[in-house]
Amino acid sequence: MDRSDLFNGSVDSGPRAPVRSSSPLRDYVLHRLPQDLSEVASGDLSYRQLADQQRELLASVGPLGDDPGAARVTQLDLLFMLGGFVPAGPQAAPRELTELISAQCARFRSLDPYLSYELLIDVNCEEYRRSGDIRVFSPGRLGALERDFYLGHHLSEPWIRSAAYGLRTLVTAPDAVKPAAVLDDAARCVAEFTSHMASYRRLSGEAFGRFRHFHLGHPGGPRGASGAFMPSVQLLELVLLPPTTEYGSYLDLAMSYFPSWARPVLARWRSASSLGVNVRQSLRDGRLALDGDGIDRLVRLVDRFVDFRMVHLGITRRMLPEAFEDRTGLTRREIGAQAGERDVLNAEHPGTSGFGVRHVLTNGVHRLLELRRDVLSLKAVPTDR
């Protein structure tokens, strides 16, 4: 599947390989749970009845096994079952389910006890590509759209990760690469990533709203699974410029919600970027020398990243109009002219991540536009190399 297939309403039910999920809960979560949740929404099934059905299922399941790979998929199934109770509050879920989730986390220390970005997107989509099985909360055509929402994140991230790692090499070993080639390739990768994001324009706000509430965290509980926790976007920003105070606050609170592989990488890159291992500082102190053409290529890359941020902002405005009732201050020009960043912990209209969605998105644009101005100011400064 490529981005042109996303959100076109097609249902691809054929497996990629004759391999079935090792989770003993597979059949229920794949085939019964979406229909049960639809019946709950229509009033044909109560949450108490849903809990009773799940108690019976869990009582019939034998030992869950010791394989860590199978445990990840089983945890995904358990948390999808738990996620079905999110609209009713945490007390509605059967105690047997929450205790089993806790027990699995104690046995396998790497498992998340909540439906994280890593489980919802990475583990879920890897299972789809391996076996054709993907977990969704919705039945029918809406389930296909929900599937594409998850797949779009999974399929797009390698593009922006490639851009981030290419720039990392440019910063750490500038004499070992050709800057023009690195910058052009990074710009191409970010443009491809943005094209994936633009596919989300095909998803209606109504459809998104019908499965989004299963991703939300409970008040006082863990943050919900959100695109805000896609790590490679953060890697690209950290290699371009040092973290600001406001961005650092976001990273502090978000770190434990990024995928497990990314947490140590983000921590290293953040520390290094704070110490000057980033494109902006490397240009300022002469470790990275770019002529006028090189500066233009870097500005083109930054513009592609701004394009992504603006596309993301526009799609979020359509999906969550209540967070953008005030339409002022949302153009590229207005964001670039704003005086500094805004508080991302503003509790008004939090996104799925629990952060103030408007400020997270506009701050990201603002930082890149500041970087663009800074880079252009260096264009006339001669280098020693």
Side-chain angles (χ1 to χ4, degrees), residues 44-66:
D44 294 330
L45 187 71
S46 69
Y47 280 110
R48 176 170 291 184
Q49 289 172 316
L50 178 64
D52 288 342
Q53 288 181 6
Q54 292 191 4
R55 285 191 186 93
E56 291 181 11
L57 171 67
L58 294 174
S60 68
V61 172
L64 296 183
D66 298 319

Side-chain angles (χ1 to χ4, degrees), residues 321-335:
E322 66 276 11
F324 297 90
E325 293 177 355
D326 179 3
R327 295 303 181 97
T328 62
L330 296 176
T331 67
R332 195 175 306 218
R333 182 185 299 274
E334 289 170 326
I335 296 170

Side-chain angles (χ1 to χ4, degrees), residues 167 170 178-188 240 279 283 290-305 375-376 379:
L167 287 181
L170 181 63
K178 296 180 179 179
V182 172
L183 293 169
D184 285 350
D185 185 63
R188 179 184 63 84
L240 281 170
V279 170
L283 281 172
L290 297 178
D291 58 15
D293 179 67
I295 292 292
D296 289 341
R297 292 172 189 269
L298 175 56
V299 169
R300 189 178 305 119
L301 165 61
V302 174
D303 285 342
R304 298 293 81 77
F305 201 4
V375 169
L376 283 173
K379 188 170 183 179

Side-chain angles (χ1 to χ4, degrees), residues 125-256:
C125 293
E126 287 163 6
E127 186 68 10
Y128 176 72
R129 298 178 77 175
R130 184 183 75 89
S131 67
D133 293 341
I134 193 164
R135 278 68 176 166
V136 294
F137 291 103
S138 315
R141 184 179 184 279
L142 180 60
L145 295 175
E146 184 182 345
R147 173 204 63 187
D148 291 355
F149 182 82
Y150 304 151
L151 283 171
H153 288 77
H154 184 70
L155 294 172
S156 66
E157 185 172 10
W159 291 103
I160 200 160
R161 186 181 306 161
S162 179
Y165 275 88
L167 287 181
R168 176 77 169 178
T169 301
L170 181 63
V171 169
T172 58
D175 295 328
V177 296
K178 296 180 179 179
V182 172
L183 293 169
D184 285 350
D185 185 63
R188 179 184 63 84
C189 287
V190 175
E192 186 68 27
F193 177 73
T194 303
S195 295
H196 277 271
M197 175 55 60
S199 300
Y200 284 78
R201 291 171 176 153
R202 303 179 195 144
L203 178 64
S204 71
E206 178 186 5
F208 175 64
R210 288 172 63 186
F211 60 78
R212 175 180 180 260
H213 59 279
F214 294 114
H215 303 158
L216 297 174
H218 300 296
R223 298 177 184 274
S226 167
F229 303 127
M230 179 188 282
S232 297
V233 175
Q234 319 310 325
L235 292 175
L236 182 58
E237 174 156 343
L238 288 170
V239 79
L240 281 170
L241 69 160
T244 62
T245 299
E246 194 64 40
Y247 184 52
S249 297
Y250 160 78
L251 289 174
D252 286 339
L253 293 171
M255 189 60 72
S256 62

Side-chain angles (χ1 to χ4, degrees), residues 306-341:
V306 174
D307 289 344
F308 156 69
R309 294 287 196 190
M310 291 302 297
V311 168
H312 191 189
L313 175 60
I315 291 171
T316 306
R317 282 175 57 183
R318 187 164 61 85
M319 298 292 186
L320 302 175
E322 66 276 11
F324 297 90
E325 293 177 355
D326 179 3
R327 295 303 181 97
T328 62
L330 296 176
T331 67
R332 195 175 306 218
R333 182 185 299 274
E334 289 170 326
I335 296 170
Q338 76 182 32
E341 298 179 61

